[in-house]
């Protein structure tokens, strides 16, 4: 079977016509990144790119779509609605789509408290093995046919200050993950673990401290061998680190809708193992 993996689509509303009192101080600081950093221009066509990625599911005969976080620019309710609309119709069906939050989806304490991500995508967080949920709905398990399963983790946390974008999975989720990969119902399946933050950078080392996944080592130890893959985003470069007997495949989807860098992974699962992946551009 085939799984399409994209990430960091950053659907962006028009921040420059939004009153500052509606944005709040955190998003007001982000206006500099949008304008001077070029982020607004880079994601002006993000919704169209995401729609083309969804259309590619049928063209590639992929059975499932995984979006590993950062669906929004800065966690505005309108951006979550844009993402839900762009992912339609697969976002209506947990059997066809897995979505987890990224740090941009929890950008402000209010967005987190108001559960904006869950209001848009909570139906996709339901688990086939709910007994393993240990932090809200995470980790959740989605069985895919007879040979694969997706496990959704949450590494995204509300940052104490804009620019601090590190994340962590936490002891409760990691312990549940260690137990569920030993579940007899999963032993003959490839397990694709979706998490937002990158366990390893493009060069193969740890990401920098204020940007990285703090408990990356514990995650990788829990997933030894080519039966496992970690599907992540956060780092806006697309790369794949192959598995060996002690570590899983790592698929970094980059930023799938960023102008000039649009793309995603098409991951092959055969005989209960992750057989590899190929990189594609939307509509390619």
């Amino acid at each position: 079977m085939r799984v399409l993996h994209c990430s960091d689509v950053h659907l962006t509303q028009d921040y420059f016509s939004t009153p500052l009192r509606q944005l709040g101080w955190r998003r007001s600081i982000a206006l500099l990144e949008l304008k001077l950093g070029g982020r607004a221009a880079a994601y002006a066509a993000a919704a169209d790119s995401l729609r083309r990625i969804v259309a590619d599911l049928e063209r590639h005969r992929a059975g499932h779509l995984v979006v590993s976080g950062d669906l929004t620019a800065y966690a505005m309710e309108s951006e979550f609605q844009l993402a839900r609309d762009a992912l339609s119709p697969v976002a209506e069906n947990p059997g066809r789509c897995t979505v987890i939050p990224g740090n941009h989806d929890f950008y402000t304490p209010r967005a987190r408290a108001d559960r904006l991500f869950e209001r848009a995508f909570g139906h996709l967080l339901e688990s086939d093995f709910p007994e393993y949920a240990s932090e809200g709905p995470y980790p959740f398990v989605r069985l895919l046919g007879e040979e694969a399963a997706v496990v959704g983790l949450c590494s995204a946390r509300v940052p104490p200050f804009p620019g601090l974008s590190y994340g962590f999975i936490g002891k409760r989720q990691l312990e549940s993950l260690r137990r569920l990969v030993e579940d007899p119902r999963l032993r003959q399946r490839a397990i694709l673990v979706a998490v937002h933050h990158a366990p390893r950078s493009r060069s193969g080392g740890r990401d920098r401290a204020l940007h990285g996944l703090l408990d990356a080592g514990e995650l990788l130890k829990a997933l030894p061998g080519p039966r496992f893959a970690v599907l992540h985003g956060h780092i806006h470069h697309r790369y794949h680190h192959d598995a060996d007997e002690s570590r899983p495949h790592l698929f970094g989807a980059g930023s799938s809708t960023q102008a000039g860098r649009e793309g995603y992974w098409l991951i092959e699962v055969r005989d209960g193992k992750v057989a590899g992946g190929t990189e594609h551009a939307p509509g390619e």
Side-chain angles (χ1 to χ4, degrees):
M1 73 170 299
R2 293 172 179 166
V3 174
L4 194 157
H5 170 218
C6 68
S7 195
D8 293 65
V9 296
H10 289 299
L11 280 290
T12 307
Q13 76 163 45
D14 181 3
Y15 279 81
F16 299 101
S17 64
T18 304
L20 291 179
R21 65 180 181 278
Q22 183 179 344
L23 295 179
W25 70 268
R26 291 173 183 251
R27 297 192 189 96
S28 297
I29 292 174
L31 293 176
L32 296 173
E33 183 179 42
L34 286 166
K35 186 67 174 179
L36 300 180
R39 186 178 282 265
Y43 293 99
D48 289 337
S49 294
L50 184 54
R51 292 186 188 98
R52 285 188 286 136
I53 290 170
V54 171
D56 284 353
L57 280 166
E58 297 301 327
R59 194 164 59 82
H60 290 303
R61 291 178 293 175
H64 200 80
L65 171 67
V66 174
V67 187
S68 54
D70 278 2
L71 287 93
T72 67
Y74 301 108
M76 294 290 283
E77 186 171 7
S78 59
E79 292 171 340
F80 284 110
Q81 188 58 54
L82 280 172
R84 177 71 182 264
D85 292 346
L87 288 169
S88 230
V90 294
E92 310 308 317
N93 183 358
R96 292 278 281 151
C97 185
T98 293
V99 176
I100 60 167
N103 59 295
H104 278 257
D105 303 318
F106 290 168
Y107 197 75
T108 71
R110 181 63 180 271
R112 186 72 184 97
D114 287 348
R115 299 176 58 81
L116 297 184
F117 177 85
E118 290 81 2
R119 281 158 55 181
F121 297 109
H123 63 293
L124 298 180
L125 306 179
E126 296 175 2
S127 181
D128 291 327
F129 296 170
E131 63 269 28
Y132 288 110
S134 56
E135 184 180 339
Y138 308 100
F140 62 84
V141 180
R142 183 90 64 249
L143 299 179
L144 306 182
E146 298 297 323
E147 57 182 339
V150 172
V151 175
L153 300 175
C154 182
S155 63
R157 310 290 166 175
V158 178
F161 192 83
L164 301 178
S165 53
Y166 58 84
F168 59 89
I169 299 164
K171 292 182 179 179
R172 287 180 294 173
Q173 289 186 64
L174 286 167
E175 177 56 32
S176 291
L177 178 66
R178 285 188 281 267
R179 290 189 292 109
L180 75 84
V181 299
E182 296 298 328
D183 191 303
R185 295 170 291 180
L186 296 176
R187 284 181 183 164
Q188 303 304 313
R189 294 174 180 264
I191 298 179
L192 312 177
V193 176
V195 66
H196 180 63
H197 290 77
R200 290 290 181 264
S201 68
R202 182 169 57 169
S203 67
R206 294 288 297 266
D207 195 3
R208 62 189 189 273
L210 299 183
H211 191 263
L213 181 64
L214 300 184
D215 42 13
E218 290 88 339
L219 173 63
L220 296 180
K221 287 177 184 176
L223 306 169
R227 187 164 70 93
F228 303 102
V230 176
L231 280 52
H232 69 83
H234 196 52
I235 296 176
H236 286 190
H237 294 282
R238 199 165 298 112
Y239 54 91
H240 171 221
H241 295 308
D242 207 358
D244 60 26
E245 292 307 312
S246 63
R247 68 182 184 194
H249 291 271
L250 301 181
F251 289 96
S255 182
S256 294
T257 62
Q258 184 178 358
R261 295 185 177 182
E262 299 93 337
Y264 55 85
W265 285 107
L266 195 64
I267 299 170
E268 297 277 352
V269 174
R270 289 196 296 270
D271 301 322
K273 292 184 178 180
V274 178
T278 53
E279 186 178 347
H280 295 266
E284 181 182 75

